[in-house]
Amino acid sequence: MFSLREVAKTYPNATIALESVTAGFEPGEFVALLGPSGCGKSTLLRLLAGLEEPSAGRIEWDKAARPGPGDIGFVFQDATLLPWATAADNVYLPLRLRGRTRDEAAPLVTAALAQVGLSDFAQVKPRGLSGGMRMRVSIARALVSDPMLLLMDEPFAALDEFTRHKLQDDLHALWRRSGKTIVFVTHSIYEAAYLANRILVLSPRPGRVAADLRPAIPEGPHRRSSGAYTDLVAEITDTFKRVMPEHD
Ligand code: ADP
């Protein structure tokens, strides 16, 4: 779908966030970008979204995959909803900004809310929704344009553990159902191991790809307690021990 070729990013204040990141991404992959805080994960996501330019190297999109308006959905750590607008109107927003009428957009908004399990909450405003539900609205807002690529920047980090597990289950199921390509930033080894079918482990700043893992954990209700899952968590933990400086 696209490839990063020796991508580097140095900010104007001379912070080297990324150094020579090379990796190819296939359509339909669920890629976790996993690394300690400050290793450049969000920077990489912003480069993919076209919100920043690499200082060296390049991102090459396959011809058929070159993104146009609405082809990339972005989900942030905060749900960032308009407080005065209902869940449905928040989901409608990106279509509205692209000139779609409310009537045209209505079936898409309904479908996006259904995808995240919020059909019954379409007319509720953010203050009437739990933290998990607000994040679901945020995910629906990213899905409403039917993007080919969904970029997610630690979307579950602020949720309690029970809610987080539920949203992880639902996102994993949504990915399996929809076949969307997802790039998901996290600093949680457990979250990366549970969600993704590919994990790029980034080294501490400046970020480089320290490991490129393609786990195969059996699907089903016992995923989180399977031996394959705990083995993977151990493998990633060992990888970090190798790449983290001693004093950390
Ligand atoms: P992560 O998402 O892994 O926590 P970031 O990509 O947010 O890491 O940041 C990587 C490094 O780049 C950090 O040291 C951060 O302080 C720095 N950084 C991020 N954005 C900017 C910016 N706009 N200007 C200067 N430094 C930045």
Side-chain angles (χ1 to χ4, degrees):
M1 188 174 191
F2 60 90
S3 301
L4 306 174
R5 301 221 185 270
E6 302 197 10
V7 167
K9 179 69 184 176
T10 303
Y11 285 107
N13 67 357
T15 301
I16 305 173
L18 294 170
E19 186 178 75
S20 194
V21 175
T22 294
F25 292 69
E26 301 294 328
E29 279 186 329
F30 192 146
V31 182
L33 297 179
L34 172 66
S37 286
C39 78
K41 305 182 294 296
S42 302
T43 299
L44 197 48
L45 216 57
R46 288 199 298 271
L47 290 170
L48 293 180
L51 299 171
E52 305 257 13
E53 289 292 318
S55 352
R58 59 196 186 281
I59 301 172
E60 288 175 359
W61 292 87
D62 290 356
K63 243 204 197 106
R66 195 156 294 141
D71 282 341
I72 297 182
F74 210 115
V75 180
F76 303 93
Q77 182 172 338
D78 293 322
T80 57
L81 304 178
L82 303 176
W84 60 85
T86 62
D89 281 348
N90 269 287
V91 174
Y92 169 44
L93 183 65
L95 299 179
R96 184 177 155 196
L97 293 174
R98 293 221 308 280
R100 305 287 289 269
T101 66
R102 191 181 288 275
D103 283 352
E104 265 173 3
L108 302 174
V109 170
T110 302
L113 283 169
Q115 270 191 296
V116 299
L118 282 187
S119 297
D120 293 342
F121 294 85
Q123 297 313 318
V124 180
K125 291 184 182 168
R127 67 167 178 277
L129 300 171
S130 67
M133 287 171 157
R134 285 198 285 268
M135 183 46 71
R136 287 173 189 276
V137 174
S138 179
I139 295 171
R141 184 180 54 192
L143 289 173
V144 76
S145 330
D146 194 22
M148 57 171 195
L149 176 62
L150 192 56
L151 303 176
M152 308 184 83
D153 195 355
E154 303 202 33
F156 306 151
L159 302 175
D160 69 77
E161 197 158 5
F162 301 99
T163 307
R164 188 159 61 234
H165 278 198
K166 180 72 180 111
L167 265 82
Q168 287 170 347
D169 287 345
D170 290 355
L171 178 66
H172 188 79
L174 188 151
W175 166 68
R176 302 241 315 148
R177 212 168 52 230
S178 68
K180 291 229 175 281
T181 311
I182 301 180
V183 181
F184 186 106
V185 161
T186 180
H187 56 241
S188 162
I189 294 174
Y190 300 97
E191 184 163 70
Y194 183 72
L195 281 176
N197 75 335
R198 181 168 174 208
I199 303 171
L200 292 180
V201 181
L202 297 183
S203 66
R205 186 165 66 82
R208 282 169 292 104
V209 177
D212 185 349
L213 308 173
R214 293 170 191 272
I217 304 172
E219 296 295 339
H222 304 298
R223 231 173 114 72
R224 231 183 265 277
S225 53
S226 70
Y229 173 71
T230 43
D231 287 351
L232 177 61
V233 168
E235 183 182 350
I236 302 170
T237 307
D238 287 346
T239 304
F240 274 119
K241 274 197 194 130
R242 273 191 279 114
V243 299
M244 291 294 282
E246 286 291 317
H247 56 269
D248 279 357

